Amino acid sequence: STGVPVCTADGWQRYPRMATDGNHGAIIAWEDIRVGSDPAIYAARITADGQLPWQSDGVQLRTPQAGQRLAGIVSDGSGGAFVAWWHRGGGDSDLFMQRVDSTGAVRWQQNGVAICDETGRQEWAEMISDGRGGVIIAWHDSRGSDNDIYAQRMHRSGNAMWTEGGILISGAAGDQSYPQLATDQDGGAYIAWMDRRTEDDIYAQRVLYTGDLAWKEDLAVCVEPNRQIAPKVIPYGTSSAAFFWQDYRLGPSTSSLYLQIIDGEGAKLYPEDYEVSQ
């Protein structure tokens, strides 16, 4: 009635995130400061009946590093999971990923594979399954003069399937930040982000499983006056996606939640954005 303890090691265990294990249980990843003051990355599996089949207090995926942050976790489709994180060091941030299988064994090189270690900061990554046994991950990247959106598709073997260091999703003027992803249900992804090429707006792009961009230009999901922030995107129907965001078009102190449905060609379902709540 009080829950099952997943990790009771010394120090802090914080910011847990979960993915299904494909058998009515879950795999949980978290930042762990059981030794020293820098966080490591750990993961554990919990079965449907509350058992913890991996080693006590979790499996270490990454040794402690200063400024390390868990990015996310996605099922690998065979009882394990992909786990991603970034860490800041020497003024830069680099992005890493590890795959852990259903037995708790790490399948890639020790401390994970570098998804992107270009100059500048690669941070605030989000990821989804590609539906083909791999994973698509997107992040904002300051290798240029401001934040841009990059993405990579990783094979379950740990090999990058797109251009090394990621493909450029949007390099527009101003900052493009905090990407959110949803499957396009054909091996690719819809990616939405906060965009400051003028003021705070919501833009999107669709990337195909090949790494090619489906739309010639970034799609302006919403560029109404004032701020549009905090986008979320989920699959809709057989090939479209639903985009949600917080919207201040009525004034800087009045926000509402808005919705738009966009198909694979970039066409919007609603002539006017649909106001979900006031």
Side-chain angles (χ1 to χ4, degrees):
S1 64
T2 58
V4 174
V6 174
C7 180
T8 59
D10 292 340
W12 290 2
Q13 287 77 47
R14 65 188 189 187
Y15 308 133
R17 300 183 72 170
M18 296 195 304
T20 179
D21 69 354
N23 193 31
H24 309 292
I27 299 174
I28 306 166
W30 66 90
E31 298 175 18
D32 195 300
I33 311 178
R34 66 183 68 181
V35 177
S37 59
D38 296 330
I41 304 296
Y42 276 76
R45 181 183 173 201
I46 186 166
T47 63
D49 59 356
Q51 301 301 307
L52 296 161
W54 296 354
Q55 67 189 51
S56 177
D57 291 330
V59 173
Q60 187 183 85
L61 305 184
R62 173 74 181 198
T63 55
Q65 296 285 330
Q68 193 153 248
R69 295 290 303 274
L70 177 66
I73 179 171
V74 169
S75 171
D76 70 356
S78 57
F82 302 99
V83 180
W85 63 89
W86 72 87
H87 75 83
R88 295 172 178 169
D92 282 358
S93 297
D94 297 321
L95 184 60
F96 293 84
M97 188 184 293
Q98 181 62 270
R99 180 181 165 221
V100 58
D101 70 18
S102 61
T103 69
V106 294
R107 301 304 301 268
W108 297 351
Q109 66 190 45
Q110 185 179 11
N111 285 324
V113 170
I115 302 300
C116 186
D117 56 3
E118 296 285 336
T119 58
R121 290 187 169 184
Q122 290 81 47
E123 298 181 334
W124 299 106
E126 295 286 345
M127 59 185 186
I128 59 169
S129 169
D130 67 0
R132 305 182 182 206
V135 61
I136 297 173
I137 184 167
W139 64 93
H140 70 226
D141 192 307
S142 67
R143 69 183 75 175
S145 59
D146 51 28
N147 282 344
D148 297 315
I149 303 296
Y150 280 77
Q152 181 60 269
R153 182 179 171 214
M154 296 295 293
H155 191 271
R156 61 192 299 105
S157 65
N159 295 319
M161 301 182 73
W162 295 341
T163 303
E164 183 178 355
I167 60 170
L168 178 64
I169 301 297
S170 178
D175 285 333
Q176 289 76 49
S177 306
Y178 308 113
Q180 298 289 307
L181 293 82
T183 177
D184 68 356
Q185 303 180 73
D186 192 29
Y190 293 99
I191 304 176
W193 61 87
M194 290 174 54
D195 195 296
R196 287 186 173 175
R197 65 188 73 188
T198 53
E199 55 185 356
D200 286 328
D201 296 314
I202 307 300
Y203 277 76
Q205 180 59 264
R206 180 186 175 201
V207 57
L208 305 178
Y209 73 93
T210 59
D212 298 311
L213 301 185
W215 305 331
K216 292 182 179 180
E217 298 180 349
D218 299 341
L219 178 68
V221 177
C222 186
V223 292
E224 292 289 328
N226 297 319
R227 304 176 68 212
Q228 287 79 46
I229 63 172
K232 298 291 182 182
V233 56
I234 60 173
Y236 180 84
T238 59
S239 60
S240 299
F243 295 78
F244 299 84
W245 64 93
Q246 186 177 358
D247 196 304
Y248 288 86
R249 68 180 68 183
L250 299 180
S253 61
T254 302
S255 71
S256 298
L257 181 65
Y258 279 80
L259 159 69
Q260 184 59 261
I261 308 295
I262 299 172
D263 69 17
E265 303 301 320
K268 297 180 179 180
L269 176 63
Y270 304 126
E272 300 290 339
D273 301 327
Y274 183 82
E275 188 174 14
V276 177
S277 66
Q278 299 181 355

